[in-house]
Each structure stands twice: as C-alpha cells, then as structure tokens.
Amino acid sequence: MFSKNFPKLTQLIPRQGASLNGKLSTTSAQAAQLKGLENEPNEPIIKTNIPGPKSKELISEIGNIQQAGTVVFFTDYEKSTGNYIADADGNHLLDIYMQIASLPLGYNHPDIQKVIANPKNHNIFVNRPALGTNPPMYLFEKLSNIINSVAPKGLNMIQTMACGSCANENAYKAIFIRYNTLMRGGKELTQEDLNECVMNKGPGCPDLSILSFKGGFHGRTLGALATTHSKAIHKLDVPTLDWPIAPFPRYKYPLEENTEYNKKQDEECLKEIEQIIDHFNTVVKKPVAGIVVEPIQSEGGDHHGSPYFFQQLQKLGKKHNSMLLIDEVQTGLGATGKLWAHEHFNLPESPDLMTFAKKMQIGGYFYSDKFKTQPYRIFNTWLGDPARILFLEETLNVIKRDNLIQLNKEVGDYLLANLRNLCKTYPGLIANARGLGTFCAFDGATAKIRDDLILKLKNMGIQCGASGDVAFRIRPSLIFTKNHTDIFVDRLDKALKSF
Ligand SMILES: Cc1ncc(COP(=O)(O)O)c(C=O)c1O
C-alpha cells in the first residue's frame, strides 16, 4: 500500500557537512534551491470554492456528532504531497500552515513512508505500549539518539508525553516537585504531608505558582490553561488557578528603526515581572516556583522578545529561585532557522526545562537529572507513542541529511524581505512584518482585513492561518523553498490588490 509512487526530492542535497544546527553547513546555496517533493503540483489547483460541496456535506454530517465549527475543509491525505494539501473536492492548496505548525516534512514524505513500510516496525503500530511499564526493547536507543541530536546543552533527560498541553502540564509538576523538595531541605515526608495532599490541602499540597505572560499560550488542559492568556474563548466558564500574570514586550517594527521604544518595553516589563514575583513570594505567599514563556508568543499574535529580555528574565528567575521553562511547542525543531528558537537569545545556559510537541511528533520535555522524580509522580498510561518516536527519529535524519534548518533560515530571510516590501506597497492594509526563519507574521490593519485576506487566499489556493487579534501567521514545513515563497507572495500581492 505504501510502497508505490513514493515522492522523491527533485534535487537531492549533498549530504556531507550538514548538522542539525547548521553550524557545519557547506550546502546552503543548494539547499535554498530545493524545489520540494517530485509529485507536488507546480502551483495550487483550485476547482471549487473552499470549502467545496463535498467538504460542506461532510462538515454537515460530522456536525451531527461533534463540534465542527473549526473544520476548514475535509482533507484527502492520500493525494496530499509535500507542501500541498489536497481537499475532498479535488483542490490542491499550497499549505503554509501545516496542521497548525506541526508537520515538519510536509505530506507523505518518502522517508516517513519507508518507516511505515518497514515490516520490522509493524509490531509497534499494532501494539501500542504503556511506555512507563512495558517499553519496547529499543526505547533507550531511540530516546538516546533524540537526546544526542536535539536536546539543549545540559538537559540530558527526556520525558515523553502525548501533546503540548500535557508536556507543559507535567513540566509544571516537575517544577513544583523540585521546588518543594528543595524547600523541605532533605526532611523526611510526614504522614500529614501524605494524608493532606490527597485532600488538596497543605503542607503536602503547597500553595505555589507558575508565572506566565499576557498573550501567552501553553495549552488548554486545566493547569496549562491557567498559564494561557491569548483569547477569552479558551478560558470562558472554566475555573482556574490564581497565578501571577506578567506583561510581555510589545515591539514596534521594523525593530531596527524602533530600538529605543523597544528597549523601554523590555525594561518596563522586566521591572514589572520582578515586582510581581516579589509580591507573590512575600505578600500573596504563593511563591513563584517557575516561569513559563514562549520564545515567540505564537497563538497570542506572534509577539517577539529580544535576546536582552530573555537573558534578563533568566537572571531574574535565578535571583528569585523561579525555574525557567521555555515552551518550544510551536517554535521548535528548526521553525525559526535554528533548532530551538531560544538559541537566538544567547542565554548563558540552557533553561531549566524545555517543552516540545508539534513538529517533534510527540510531546514532552527535556530536563536535567535534578528534576528526576520518584516513580509514578510523572506518569500516565501511554506516555506518548513509540510509533511517533520512530517518525521523529527519521524526521531528524532527514532534517540533517537535507540541511533543512539552513534551508529554513535562507528561505525565511527571503520570505521576510518580500513581506516587508508588501507592507510598504499596501500600508493601509498590512504592517509589522516580522519573523525568524520562516516563522513569520504580519498584521492586518484590522481583524476584518486579516480575516478577509485569509479567505481570499484560501480561494486562491493558499492554506494559511491567523494568530492573536490581527496577525497573519506563516508556519510552513521545513521543505518550504524559495519557489513556494514566490507562489505565496504572488498570491498575497494579488489578494491585497483586490481589496
Ligand atoms: C506554545 C504552545 N504551547 C502549548 C501548546 C499546546 O499544544 P497541544 O495543542 O499539542 O496541546 C501550543 C499549541 O498550539 C502552543 O503553541
């Protein structure tokens, strides 16, 4: 079933000298010319309005058994290839959104197909293990390979989970457990600790908190949701934890023309963050055990923080014994032209923990051994999915072999230059082009203009997304090339002209 018609890369990238962080790259020029997968269409193919009649029918059917208000169109995954998503009505759209930023190699990548076709792997697809109790024999080798190739320096342990929300959720628990262990100062647990915690009471259930940021997004499960502040729709009617919420910088663009204003933003936010930590530690008496932050606030509207801001934030955390958790769920695995977005910040050391999901195919977090807990304290039935670990291993091989992080950086620079030009051409409609690698965005003058633009582009064959109040976000795969950028920019220009 999977062996026929594997798409092939039209132009293979020389393999020598490539590394995951691009440091050894000697192949950047060739990488930037990579065209995509062999049987991708040359350009979008649009036959109907989107959603088309078949999608509409399916949306109406599924609406009878679940909430279908979020469905854009039904997808034909067999016909989707590389950077192009095919829908139920025979349309093929250039996908610069990639399943909410989660597909690193596009659709039906030949090397991932090979993992599925390999009979040696079939037992893992047939038998889904409970990884914490009966892991497959190869687990140590696979996870060690992942740690060796992508873990931030010093974070030499990994906890796998199913998704980004539960990655954060469990990383928060790891922070609290570490914090309280330190606070106990080696004292034995008392019977009171054990009895009371079961009833949600102290001292075993301590009043600690995680500081998060206005506009941040860390997931929709209850603990993660308490640190999510991007949109009311995520939070409405759900009780939450009263944890500290601090301001995150809001810059003016282009950055190089607004350095003074932006530096002031950094300083004001940092000052307020420290005041809030102090207040929670000493007045509210809900000590800030951890700080959770995205390198770029993604769902909240693509808000960036400077290297200076993040360096100072790390310092503040250390000063107040608040552990720093960087959430790379959306920004991770090469999306910003570096392996992890926080590498752009030149932090003197790695964060205490770093969560991942989306492009990594499994959720989880990297940590150092000081966060290792007793058995069953961080645990659930599946603890992720070893089939996805196989896909991740192959994805990492392909990223390295094809020098895709370097490609992302070069294509991203090209994309951003084009977006800046369009902002100059259509100043009443769009502004504030920004980004790292292909992780780019710009703002619509209003939410309506942004939303209309997305709709127009969809019907011109571009699958794209929104973030925050007015941002248009771009989250292509790592095999997105200059060629694809040209097609997108051409359609964007035409769509803007039509307003
Ligand atoms: C930064 C960030 N953290 C956490 C999450 C939650 O991940 P998931 O949707 O896999 O639970 C997301 C999802 O968009 C995210 O962007």
Side-chain angles (χ1 to χ4, degrees), residues 189-251:
L189 284 170
T190 63
Q191 195 54 46
E192 191 193 2
D193 286 326
L194 302 178
N195 293 346
E196 300 272 279
C197 75
V198 178
M199 302 309 294
N200 294 355
K201 295 211 170 77
C205 233
D207 234 350
L208 299 174
S209 63
I210 300 278
L211 178 135
S212 53
F213 291 90
K214 287 178 191 160
F217 184 96
H218 301 286
R220 292 173 166 90
T221 51
L222 281 179
L225 189 64
T227 57
T228 284
H229 314 289
S230 48
K231 284 192 187 141
I233 192 79
H234 305 314
K235 315 242 324 166
L236 195 65
D237 294 334
V238 182
T240 192
L241 294 151
D242 188 15
W243 287 351
I245 308 164
F248 190 85
R250 292 289 182 261
Y251 296 147

Side-chain angles (χ1 to χ4, degrees), residues 154-348:
L155 305 191
N156 53 352
M157 302 192 80
I158 186 170
Q159 178 63 63
T160 54
M161 283 287 160
C163 66
S165 302
C166 54
N168 282 324
E169 196 86 25
N170 284 283
Y172 298 172
K173 279 174 60 183
I175 287 175
F176 291 138
I177 292 168
R178 169 81 185 148
Y179 189 93
N180 232 24
T181 306
L182 288 174
M183 288 302 115
R184 266 191 217 105
K187 265 193 276 158
E188 289 288 306
L189 284 170
T190 63
Q191 195 54 46
E192 191 193 2
D193 286 326
L194 302 178
N195 293 346
E196 300 272 279
C197 75
V198 178
M199 302 309 294
N200 294 355
K201 295 211 170 77
C205 233
D207 234 350
L208 299 174
S209 63
I210 300 278
L211 178 135
S212 53
F213 291 90
K214 287 178 191 160
F217 184 96
H218 301 286
R220 292 173 166 90
T221 51
L222 281 179
L225 189 64
T227 57
T228 284
H229 314 289
S230 48
K231 284 192 187 141
I233 192 79
H234 305 314
K235 315 242 324 166
L236 195 65
D237 294 334
V238 182
T240 192
L241 294 151
D242 188 15
W243 287 351
I245 308 164
F248 190 85
R250 292 289 182 261
Y251 296 147
K252 285 190 180 165
Y253 294 88
L255 292 176
E256 62 278 9
E257 288 171 26
N258 294 284
T259 46
E260 210 172 299
Y261 177 91
N262 294 339
K263 182 81 196 306
K264 203 160 162 246
Q265 276 290 300
D266 284 347
E267 296 296 2
E268 284 172 5
C269 289
L270 288 162
K271 192 169 161 209
E272 205 172 323
I273 293 164
E274 182 153 32
Q275 284 167 353
I276 292 171
I277 294 179
D278 221 30
H279 183 69
F280 264 74
N281 285 352
T282 57
V283 180
V284 182
K285 300 218 182 299
K286 213 180 258 195
V288 181
I291 298 172
V292 61
V293 67
E294 295 161 89
I296 301 168
Q297 286 193 335
S298 306
E299 301 293 310
D302 280 57
H303 301 296
H304 290 243
S306 69
Y308 172 78
F309 173 78
F310 279 94
Q311 288 159 13
Q312 296 306 309
L313 183 67
Q314 187 172 48
K315 261 195 200 162
L316 270 183
K318 283 190 181 306
K319 182 172 162 194
H320 293 278
N321 298 319
S322 305
M323 289 160 253
L324 181 65
L325 161 54
I326 297 199
D327 175 348
E328 292 258 16
V329 166
Q330 189 153 161
T331 47
L333 199 60
T336 66
K338 288 197 190 274
L339 178 57
W340 303 114
H342 76 262
E343 290 171 19
H344 288 282
F345 305 148
N346 296 320
L347 297 177

Side-chain angles (χ1 to χ4, degrees), residues 48-66 68 71-75 87-89:
T48 69
N49 278 340
I50 297 187
K54 181 75 188 157
S55 264
K56 278 191 177 154
E57 192 186 317
L58 291 168
I59 290 171
S60 148
E61 271 175 18
I62 205 161
N64 293 325
I65 54 166
Q66 43 172 246
V71 177
V72 181
F73 53 74
F74 272 79
T75 303
D87 77 358
D89 292 277

